[in-house]
Amino acid sequence: MKPTTVIGFLGSTLDAAKFGPSRWNKWRPTVSICMQEDLRVDRFVLIHGSYHRRLAEFVMQDIRDVSPETEVVPHVMDFEDAWDFEEVYGKLLDFAREFEFDPDTHDYLIHITTGTHVAQICLFLLTEARYLPGKLLQTQPQKGAPQPIGTWASIDLDLSRYDSIASRFAEASVESTNFLKSGIETRNAAFNRMIEEIEQVAVRSRAPILLMGPTGAGKSQLVRKVYELKKLRHQVEGPFVEVNCATLKGDSAMSALFGHKKGAFTGAVQDRPGLLKSADKGLLFLDEIGELGLDEQAMILRAIEEGRFLPVGADTEAKSEFQLIAGTNRNLMDEVAAGNFREDLFARLNLWTFALPGLAERREDIEPNLDYELERFAEREGTRVTFNKEARDRYLAFAESPSARWQGNFRDLAASVTRMATLCPTGRIDREAVDFETGRLARFWSGDKAEIVVLTDLLGKDRVATIDPFDRVQLEYVIEVCRRSTNLSDAGRTLFAASREQRTSTNDSDRLRKYLAKFGLEWTALVK
């Protein structure tokens, strides 16, 4: 058999006992290891602090008395704070790296019954990571036993019966990654690897994250999912605060971000906490951070590094602890070179930088996202819509082709699905609807804006604002059909093709005329 070495902490409470014979009536975990009949301990490395040196010498002598063949090796390890994970893990890691392990010729048992809970957890992690190449050793007292020897058990994390633990961790990681992808079974390998890395960073770090990518690539949705994931893991307590920095201009930007005191400027009739303060204990998403002015950038940098900032008109600083995620569709390195973005802020944000690809770079992901958008429409409108097979194949052939530019990325796709789903009266998107929609997208991407309906040109901005988005999509479609038809009756036949076959009498032109009149429109105004 290989010689066995036990490594463990001195139990400052459990191993302590009064001097004298009565101590042998008490279960002391460190001493009990060497009293086991079925466990031979050739060497015991006893870790203890300087403060407990006398207790360590006392325990070491008792081990020698009950197990003369055991070599006891004291190892002094002092902690400024024995409950500080970083300090304890760091010093134990240094110990593991310096210790001369020889797993081929020696067996090692890592005792995790003694020591603080932090020390026990760190020993487990180091053993699981194989920095300590051995088995875990647990001891406990045995009720009703005549002597306080207790029992012991070893845990070999390499054995197959513990694979279920690793599998549960792996499953949890997959669940987190799918969570960030909103459950979409994306197929782009590079994108999936990036999401896996973002998931690891999100749950293991509070450092700032920078998301770069074109408008509509899904930055906002991803950040919200990151927040929800951290909330599930109990890593944030505060709210999710999203800010589009492009909307913060001039003097109001400072007040919106950092708050102001009453009377700080004209119109400041009361104190305002500001968005950074609102994000305390939570997550702050500064989208389009490249739009911020240099003064605001400087204050953001200090708020990130020190958690402090000065509200407008205040004499004392405010405090806020938040995790920052920044988004931009600009190349910030170019902005730094041009003097438009602070180099020190970019350096602070650039620890974790991820470039989200546009939809045109992920054409294999269009199909799963198509299904996702249909599900979103069903949840939003309470109506489930599907494609017939021919229509679906035709749409995907167009959407995945090189000619599909997807300039607006996922916003273009979402709008496209919404239009088709809204305008199919039977709940099934057919080939005609697909042809109409793909033609619309092709014209839009080619710059032929004359063929694209702009409701504000017909009704005015104020009137359009009073129309529900659902009705706007439908009205745009009706106007497009009207412009492509020879007369009112022709347009009516196209628009009411399904329902007209179920009626004994038809007056499609009158029906269309009344629909347009609801919005103050006439046929003649549309076909000019």
Side-chain angles (χ1 to χ4, degrees):
M1 295 178 59
K2 297 179 183 178
T4 298
T5 295
V6 173
I7 299 173
F9 277 92
L10 174 71
S12 59
T13 300
L14 293 177
D15 284 330
K18 293 181 180 180
F19 296 100
S22 62
R23 71 182 185 276
W24 297 106
N25 296 324
K26 177 185 176 182
W27 176 74
R28 292 177 293 163
T30 298
V31 178
S32 74
I33 293 173
C34 300
M35 299 174 68
Q36 303 295 328
E37 294 183 359
D38 54 348
L39 175 62
R40 177 185 174 88
V41 179
D42 298 281
R43 184 170 56 156
F44 200 123
V45 178
L46 186 63
I47 304 172
H48 65 87
S50 301
Y51 182 78
H52 297 110
R53 189 183 302 274
R54 185 166 181 267
L55 173 61
E57 292 174 351
F58 184 65
V59 169
M60 290 165 58
Q61 184 56 53
D62 280 351
I63 291 176
R64 296 186 186 101
D65 290 342
V66 298
S67 180
E69 68 275 14
T70 301
E71 176 191 5
V72 186
V73 180
H75 184 92
V76 177
M77 186 179 296
D78 289 320
F79 302 110
E80 292 185 11
D81 183 357
W83 295 92
D84 185 312
F85 266 102
E86 184 176 3
E87 180 188 3
V88 175
Y89 186 88
K91 288 188 176 180
L92 282 173
L93 177 60
D94 290 340
F95 164 82
R97 286 172 170 169
E98 294 172 2
F99 196 92
E100 294 183 1
F101 289 104
D102 187 3
D104 292 333
T105 59
H106 289 72
D107 287 329
Y108 299 94
L109 295 174
I110 314 303
H111 190 210
I112 58 172
T113 302
T114 52
T116 64
H117 295 323
V118 171
Q120 292 168 7
I121 293 170
C122 290
L123 286 174
F124 173 88
L125 293 174
L126 290 167
T127 304
E128 195 272 339
R130 302 298 295 170
Y131 285 108
L132 297 172
K135 303 176 184 178
L136 298 177
L137 173 64
Q138 288 182 302
T139 55
Q140 61 182 2
Q142 186 175 13
K143 293 182 180 180
Q147 292 182 347
I149 297 176
T151 61
W152 69 281
S154 65
I155 302 172
D156 188 350
L157 295 175
D158 288 336
L159 291 180
S160 60
R161 65 175 178 270
Y162 296 104
D163 286 348
S164 60
I165 299 176
S167 297
R168 288 291 297 275
F169 279 112
E171 289 171 6
S173 179
V174 170
E175 289 174 1
S176 298
T177 302
N178 286 335
F179 184 86
L180 293 186
K181 296 190 295 184
S182 300
I184 303 172
E185 294 294 333
T186 52
R187 303 163 182 170
N188 183 280
F191 178 77
N192 287 339
R193 284 195 299 271
M194 182 184 68
I195 292 296
E196 290 174 2
E197 187 173 348
I198 291 175
E199 182 268 334
Q200 293 183 50
V201 173
V203 299
R204 298 173 65 182
S205 173
R206 286 183 53 82
I209 297 173
L210 176 62
L211 299 179
M212 303 177 69
T215 300
K219 295 188 289 292
S220 295
Q221 182 174 341
L222 176 59
V223 174
R224 185 170 289 278
K225 285 295 182 180
V226 167
Y227 171 75
E228 292 174 3
L229 178 61
K230 294 178 77 70
K231 192 80 171 176
L232 286 172
R233 299 289 186 90
H234 306 287
Q235 294 179 332
V236 291
E237 301 175 13
F240 173 68
V241 178
E242 181 175 359
V243 186
N244 187 337
C245 297
T247 65
L248 304 178
K249 299 295 182 183
D251 296 336
S252 64
M254 282 287 192
S255 174
L257 288 170
F258 308 106
H260 64 245
K261 301 298 289 183
K262 179 180 178 181
F265 50 83
T266 303
V269 296
Q270 61 184 8
D271 289 352
R272 179 180 185 180
L275 294 167
L276 268 67
K277 185 64 176 177
S278 299
D280 190 26
K281 308 297 183 184
L283 191 150
L284 176 66
F285 177 41
L286 294 182
D287 197 12
E288 305 303 345
I289 193 172
E291 302 288 342
L292 285 180
L294 294 175
D295 291 340
E296 289 83 5
Q297 293 175 29
M299 290 187 67
I300 287 289
L301 176 62
R302 186 162 185 260
I304 298 171
E305 294 183 334
E306 302 178 18
R308 297 181 297 166
F309 52 90
L310 190 67
V312 178
D315 296 325
T316 57
E317 293 180 322
K319 296 181 180 180
S320 180
E321 296 181 4
F322 54 85
Q323 180 170 4
L324 175 68
I325 299 183
T328 181
N329 61 6
R330 298 185 178 189
N331 186 322
L332 291 188
M333 294 184 67
D334 292 343
E335 295 298 309
V336 169
N340 299 325
F341 200 83
R342 292 182 62 99
E343 185 174 4
D344 49 4
L345 177 56
F346 176 68
R348 190 69 178 85
L349 296 175
N350 198 34
L351 173 62
W352 298 111
T353 300
F354 302 95
L356 271 63
L359 185 57
E361 301 174 66
R362 297 171 49 197
R363 295 183 187 274
E364 63 268 54
D365 288 340
I366 291 176
E367 184 173 11
N369 275 281
L370 179 65
D371 296 330
Y372 173 71
E373 293 299 338
L374 286 171
E375 288 295 326
R376 286 183 64 196
F377 179 86
E379 293 174 4
R380 187 171 62 246
E381 305 297 344
T383 303
R384 184 164 296 279
V385 177
T386 59
F387 285 88
N388 66 42
K389 186 177 187 307
E390 182 184 17
R392 181 184 177 89
D393 292 344
R394 194 172 183 85
Y395 185 82
L396 287 173
F398 166 82
E400 296 172 354
S401 69
S403 60
R405 297 171 62 183
W406 297 115
Q407 294 170 329
N409 295 293
F410 290 93
R411 291 179 183 174
D412 275 358
L413 180 62
S416 177
V417 172
T418 298
R419 284 191 291 268
M420 290 187 292
T422 301
L423 300 172
C424 66
T426 63
R428 292 273 286 178
I429 301 172
D430 57 20
R431 176 173 175 171
E432 183 179 359
V434 167
D435 288 345
F436 196 92
E437 174 60 24
T438 54
R440 185 185 195 279
L441 288 171
R443 292 191 301 275
F444 180 75
W445 291 331
S446 67
D448 187 4
K449 301 297 192 295
E451 294 294 332
I452 304 301
V453 173
V454 181
L455 291 182
T456 53
D457 294 343
L458 293 169
L459 302 176
K461 184 177 181 180
D462 294 339
R463 177 73 176 92
V464 171
T466 65
I467 303 174
D468 289 333
F470 180 91
D471 292 325
R472 290 181 206 169
V473 174
Q474 187 177 60
L475 182 56
E476 284 184 356
Y477 179 78
V478 169
I479 294 171
E480 285 194 28
V481 171
C482 289
R483 288 179 171 176
R484 294 179 176 279
S485 303
T486 56
N487 52 49
L488 192 63
S489 297
D490 182 36
R493 283 192 295 272
T494 301
L495 290 166
F496 308 121
S499 61
R500 73 192 309 269
E501 295 180 0
Q502 303 170 12
R503 290 179 278 126
T504 55
S505 61
T506 59
N507 191 347
D508 297 326
S509 59
D510 183 61
R511 188 178 176 188
L512 177 55
R513 187 182 294 109
K514 289 179 179 178
Y515 174 80
L516 294 174
K518 286 170 49 180
F519 303 98
L521 295 172
E522 296 181 357
W523 166 263
T524 54
L526 303 181
V527 296
K528 287 181 180 179

